[in-house]
Amino acid sequence: MRVASSLILSLQATLTLASSYDSNFFNPGKARRQNVNAKAYAVQEPPLTTDWTYKLGTNPWPEYPRPQLERAKWQNLNGLWTYQNAASLDALNSPPFNQTLANEVLIPSCLESAISGIQANYSIYSWFQTSFNIPSSWSNQSVLLNFGAVDYEATVFINGQKAGFNRGGYSAFTIDATGLVFVHDPTDSGDYVIPIGKQTLNPSHIFYRPCSGIWQSVWIESAPTNHITQLDVAADMNGEVNVTIHSSSGTPGPVEIIFYDSGSKRSPNILASQTGTSDVSFQFTVPSPKLWSPDSPSLYNFTVVMGSDEVSSYTGFRTISKGKVDGIVRPLLNGEFIFQFGTLDQGYWPDGVYTPPNREAMVYDLEALKKLGFNMLRKHIKVENALFYQACDQMGLLLIQDMPALRPIQSRTLSNCTSETILPDTDQQAEFTRQLEVLVNQHKNYPSIGTWVIYNEGWGQVIQGYPEFGLTDIVRSLDPTRLVDSTTGWHDHGAGDYSDNHHYANPQCGSPFYSIDSSPYDPTRIGFQGEFGGIGQNVSIEHLWNVQTAINTINQTYEIDTSIEAWNYRAHRLLDDLRDQTELFACSGGVWTQTTDVEGEVNGLLTYDRRVLRPDVAQWQADIKALYDAAAGSHNASMAIS
């Protein structure tokens, strides 16, 4: 049987995809030349390279993209597609079927990136096209077309018929392809108020080049008509496992979940098994599991069987909570106070923008943090691909996960010549809420995530009515197993689990002093330094984002140190301040700004190209250990909070 189908994706970008049933699998080790008439793919010269820029080839990200719901029968659709710009949303009325698109493009990538082969500006509307073969062995099965993330809206057509739509540049989605996709990505143009994080069409200092298009992996897989669509698995420190297995039909039916010994994939090393019913929560106990923590990130593999559908996954046993320790409210991991210390992690790359060059590059940053002694990072108003979260699970890095911010701190001039901050209207706020729910539901299985952040520094935060209280309730109802930092930085009205202060360039963490742009410490919640540090050190041009408008903003950095030695001296003083506040007051953790330089920011532990590590490793290891030691001995402190 031969079934022709085409898929067009538009994000202000569009994708056309033709498929047919065939006995041949797509070979991910061989590049697919989409059209000899299209301009051939080549990596563009970015303003700054990394060691991976020119080593990627044309078959990027070969790993299975969704490790917590993995199927055996799948094909990777990453690689060379074709692309061309579209003029407007009206392009949806005349998809470019049977036409040659102008350029080859590497998927996944941001169109604005050098790795894409396009390095475009203002890619609001675009078309993408690819072709692939579906094995004949998949007949009588559903063919699921999966996208890790497309920024921002994707309309999918199959055989000329609209088959699906997704809105949200950070969420995964699946289309039953048994497609054509049109993508629209307005970023911060016009009156759009959407979750964009730090993306802007007009980059300047702390706001960066945007990402448009298919920036996470694309793949197809075979599954029964009634198949598993989502796993909700929460495993706590007592071995209690709470499970909901969602089915495509929504009709309850028998399911089985099988846990294996740590490190093993299949029987005979079965640790525990349990039968239950799909679409209904059920519970069981795994005896004496090894607990997950940054020092011992133990993970357990399991499989789920529902009819003829079988998927593999993993989890970690751990409990996140808060409680009083010697009279101070603390974050607890497995019932014990753990001082959380990490970096503000932007997740930007000079050659890939939002998309890391490959898994090796992505993990390089995480390994650098672990070597220095960090046990946490704050994923700052961005959502990463699933393999990033898996790496944090495996390496033992706690995560504070931000919701991508609505249009940050921008204003518009009204007809009466007054200025107002751009904030969401009722419909835009409802869409923000929906995408927050999607973020939590799609990521609540990762053991490493310990805290959800709703608002960063008031960006897109409506002050009237304090909506963060209702949003906090929604997050807790979706995921009662984690903490919520409702407002990190500014406009704190008492919602959530954290009393979170931002202050550059010295900390004010759980202390009896604060600055007027933050809030006083609230002893009924966790005292936390959500951002601090931010000290910068300029470097030579070969390690800078070589864009003059970005270079012009370097002196907007909170502090510039003229040498590496001075930078390390200042860092030592700031970390020592944080240690004092941990010993003497109620500081429970902090976030150092930041992992890497980004464009016009030069305050990273690593330069933007990842070629220079600024920290004196021995000094930083000692200073971070001193923080943990201070937290462990904080009950002996002689000063009390008034």
Side-chain angles (χ1 to χ4, degrees):
M1 178 175 64
R2 299 185 63 81
V3 179
S5 65
S6 59
L7 158 74
I8 294 177
L9 162 87
S10 153
L11 169 246
Q12 263 88 295
T14 301
L15 133 102
T16 303
L17 170 159
S19 67
S20 61
Y21 281 105
D22 193 276
S23 59
N24 298 314
F25 284 91
F26 161 61
N27 180 0
K30 182 180 180 181
R32 292 165 295 159
R33 186 63 62 191
Q34 291 304 310
N35 195 312
V36 295
N37 296 316
K39 182 180 177 181
Y41 169 78
V43 178
Q44 300 298 298
E45 180 68 27
L48 182 66
T49 66
T50 70
D51 288 344
W52 301 276
T53 304
Y54 299 108
K55 300 177 181 177
L56 300 180
T58 53
N59 293 289
W61 293 93
E63 302 87 356
Y64 187 89
R66 191 184 55 205
Q68 287 197 325
L69 203 166
E70 182 173 350
R71 288 189 171 89
K73 294 181 179 180
W74 74 289
Q75 295 181 34
N76 196 331
L77 299 188
N78 294 341
L80 294 180
W81 296 35
T82 52
Y83 150 86
Q84 69 186 29
N85 191 45
S88 70
L89 279 173
D90 291 339
L92 277 170
N93 299 322
S94 55
F97 298 124
N98 303 314
Q99 299 178 30
T100 299
L101 302 189
N103 303 277
E104 289 189 325
V105 63
L106 192 68
I107 299 298
S109 63
C110 303
L111 285 172
E112 293 81 357
S113 72
I115 286 174
S116 72
I118 305 299
Q119 202 162 217
N121 291 315
Y122 287 79
S123 292
I124 307 300
Y125 309 94
S126 313
W127 294 105
F128 300 87
Q129 183 176 33
T130 192
S131 62
F132 57 88
N133 295 319
I134 298 174
S136 57
S137 60
W138 291 14
S139 60
N140 301 317
Q141 296 272 298
S142 289
V143 177
L144 305 180
L145 173 62
N146 302 289
F147 294 86
V150 178
D151 197 349
Y152 167 73
E153 293 177 339
T155 306
V156 180
F157 300 83
I158 298 176
N159 293 329
Q161 301 297 314
K162 183 177 178 180
F165 173 82
N166 185 74
R167 175 180 290 125
Y170 301 92
S171 57
F173 63 99
T174 298
I175 300 295
D176 192 331
T178 324
L180 200 311
V181 180
F182 182 77
V183 183
H184 170 220
D185 181 21
T187 311
D188 56 353
S189 63
D191 292 328
Y192 288 96
V193 181
I194 62 175
I196 55 174
K198 285 200 168 185
Q199 300 180 69
T200 178
L201 293 172
N202 299 288
S204 178
H205 196 47
I206 66 170
F207 299 104
Y208 319 130
R209 178 174 291 199
C211 173
S212 302
I214 309 169
W215 66 279
Q216 291 188 23
S217 289
V218 186
W219 73 105
I220 57 171
E221 58 192 355
S222 173
T225 302
N226 183 30
H227 53 269
I228 298 165
T229 58
Q230 179 178 320
L231 302 177
D232 295 342
V233 178
D236 71 17
M237 60 183 286
N238 299 312
E240 298 292 328
V241 185
N242 193 301
V243 180
T244 304
I245 299 166
H246 300 267
S247 69
S248 58
S249 70
T251 303
V255 292
E256 183 179 21
I257 183 169
I258 306 164
F259 268 73
Y260 303 96
D261 283 342
S262 182
S264 66
K265 279 280 189 182
R266 289 288 186 269
S267 59
N269 300 309
I270 294 177
L271 184 63
S273 64
Q274 181 68 38
T275 57
T277 302
S278 68
D279 305 290
V280 177
S281 177
F282 61 94
Q283 297 78 35
F284 65 100
T285 301
V286 171
S288 304
K290 298 176 183 177
L291 302 187
W292 187 95
S293 73
D295 292 332
S296 180
S298 300
L299 298 172
Y300 288 83
N301 296 304
F302 64 87
T303 59
V304 176
V305 179
M306 184 183 75
S308 60
D309 195 16
E310 179 176 320
V311 299
S312 60
S313 188
Y314 72 89
T315 191
F317 289 83
R318 54 92 181 113
T319 297
I320 303 286
S321 61
K322 65 177 180 180
K324 282 192 173 182
V325 178
D326 297 306
I328 297 175
V329 179
R330 300 290 197 185
L332 307 177
L333 175 63
N334 300 327
E336 298 182 356
F337 168 40
I338 177 171
F339 188 88
Q340 302 176 41
F341 191 59
T343 58
L344 196 71
D345 195 79
Q346 309 275 9
Y348 274 79
W349 296 82
D351 46 12
V353 188
Y354 252 24
T355 307
N358 55 21
R359 188 182 186 280
E360 176 189 346
M362 179 186 73
V363 170
Y364 180 87
D365 286 2
L366 304 179
E367 290 174 337
L369 297 180
K370 285 291 286 188
K371 181 178 180 180
L372 289 169
F374 292 99
N375 63 8
M376 175 267 283
L377 63 84
R378 178 182 163 202
K379 179 43 62 180
H380 189 39
I381 51 180
K382 183 195 176 192
V383 181
E384 296 288 357
N385 67 49
L387 297 174
F388 172 89
Y389 298 96
Q390 181 191 41
C392 291
D393 293 340
Q394 293 169 336
M395 295 171 63
L397 277 166
L398 275 168
L399 286 172
I400 296 174
Q401 175 63 55
D402 290 10
M403 173 63 190
L406 292 165
R407 196 163 174 166
I409 55 175
Q410 292 185 358
S411 60
R412 58 187 159 213
T413 301
L414 304 178
S415 57
N416 61 4
C417 297
T418 61
S419 179
E420 70 173 8
T421 301
I422 298 176
L423 291 172
D425 60 24
T426 301
D427 291 341
Q428 292 162 343
Q429 182 68 20
E431 179 62 22
F432 175 80
T433 301
R434 186 193 69 81
Q435 291 190 35
L436 173 64
E437 294 174 4
V438 171
L439 167 68
V440 173
N441 277 322
Q442 289 192 352
H443 293 82
K444 63 186 179 183
N445 283 351
Y446 296 110
S448 54
I449 297 177
T451 299
W452 303 109
V453 170
I454 298 175
Y455 286 118
N456 173 75
E457 294 187 346
W459 294 358
Q461 179 183 355
V462 178
I463 304 305
Q464 294 78 13
Y466 303 160
E468 65 268 23
F469 282 92
L471 294 174
T472 300
D473 291 341
I474 288 172
V475 172
R476 284 176 171 157
S477 69
L478 295 172
D479 179 18
T481 72
R482 291 179 174 86
L483 303 177
V484 182
D485 191 348
S486 304
T487 54
T488 178
W490 312 336
H491 305 322
D492 180 6
H493 305 112
D497 299 305
Y498 288 83
S499 180
D500 185 337
N501 176 291
H502 291 188
H503 197 245
Y504 297 92
N506 54 63
Q508 299 174 344
C509 185
S511 65
F513 45 84
Y514 65 98
S515 56
I516 59 173
D517 59 354
S518 192
S519 302
Y521 164 62
D522 175 3
T524 66
R525 294 181 292 157
I526 298 164
F528 198 73
Q529 192 67 49
E531 294 179 28
F532 83 114
I535 57 175
Q537 185 264 328
N538 208 345
V539 290
S540 54
I541 191 65
E542 62 263 28
H543 300 297
L544 283 175
W545 179 249
N546 193 6
V547 174
Q548 192 59 48
T549 54
I551 293 172
N552 292 344
T553 67
I554 285 175
N555 281 334
Q556 294 179 28
T557 304
Y558 298 103
E559 172 184 304
I560 292 289
D561 302 314
T562 58
S563 67
I564 287 287
E565 291 76 18
W567 185 88
N568 275 287
Y569 164 77
R570 288 290 294 134
H572 173 67
R573 299 282 12 118
L574 294 177
L575 294 174
D576 203 44
D577 279 352
L578 191 68
R579 179 194 57 79
D580 270 349
Q581 292 170 32
T582 302
E583 284 186 345
L584 302 177
F585 307 126
C587 184
S588 291
V591 177
W592 179 272
T593 302
Q594 56 188 343
T595 305
T596 73
D597 296 350
V598 185
E599 298 190 9
E601 292 189 85
V602 293
N603 53 3
L605 302 179
L606 290 155
T607 52
Y608 198 19
D609 59 4
R610 276 73 170 175
R611 292 186 174 113
V612 177
L613 179 70
R614 290 188 175 96
D616 178 311
V617 174
Q619 173 195 304
W620 275 73
Q621 288 173 336
D623 285 342
I624 293 174
K625 182 177 183 300
L627 289 172
Y628 300 149
D629 290 345
S634 59
H635 61 279
N636 296 319
S638 58
M639 295 181 66
I641 308 297
S642 60

